[in-house]
Amino acid sequence: MTSLTLRAEGPAPAEDVWTRYAVPALWPTWSPQIRAVRVDGGRIAPGMRGEVVSFLGVSARFVVESVDEERRRWTWRVRLGPVRLRLRHAVLGRPAGSATTLRIEGPALALAAYAGPARWAMGRLVGEWRHASGSS
């Protein structure tokens, strides 16, 4: 097992970025590798279980381990076949927007394969964003 930490900064307010993380239905709007999320509940919470469906149609199961709404941090475990990853997310306020960090723990090969799509998604997460109604 190894770990990798990624970081992105952008103009989106930290509160908006946190909402984009905390509401699984929003994940496909900023994470291009996610086509759908199947989960019971509208907001992440410890013990929440679900499934993320990739743009290739491959599904990965997950469980949310911890959520700290006040500090805007959360941790979850994702399983795709024999591969297991732990992802730790944090959102930080910045004078001109926000920053987000992601610490991924798992097999080195899986981290290497996931790093590129994760960087892309994180950039979109903290960037300019509009939902279906056209407002931020």
Side-chain angles (χ1 to χ4, degrees), residues 5-27:
T5 301
L6 305 174
R7 179 182 177 92
E9 293 190 29
E15 296 79 23
D16 291 352
V17 174
W18 176 247
T19 297
R20 295 173 198 171
Y21 266 143
V23 178
L26 295 177
W27 297 353

Side-chain angles (χ1 to χ4, degrees), residues 14-94:
E15 296 79 23
D16 291 352
V17 174
W18 176 247
T19 297
R20 295 173 198 171
Y21 266 143
V23 178
L26 295 177
W27 297 353
T29 66
W30 55 266
S31 185
Q33 67 268 31
I34 297 176
R35 185 175 64 189
V37 180
R38 297 181 186 124
V39 64
D40 290 332
R43 195 165 181 92
I44 57 172
M48 173 184 269
R49 295 181 179 276
E51 195 172 33
V52 175
V53 182
S54 79
F55 68 94
L56 297 173
V58 177
S59 295
R61 295 178 188 261
F62 70 85
V63 62
V64 175
E65 291 185 334
S66 65
V67 178
D68 185 335
E69 292 269 354
E70 186 175 314
R71 294 176 63 206
R72 298 186 195 108
R73 298 175 187 268
W74 71 290
T75 302
W76 59 323
R77 287 187 181 268
V78 179
R79 181 173 53 90
L80 177 60
V83 178
R84 287 172 168 56
L85 301 176
R86 174 182 275 160
L87 298 93
R88 301 174 189 267
H89 299 274
V91 176
L92 309 163
R94 293 286 182 256

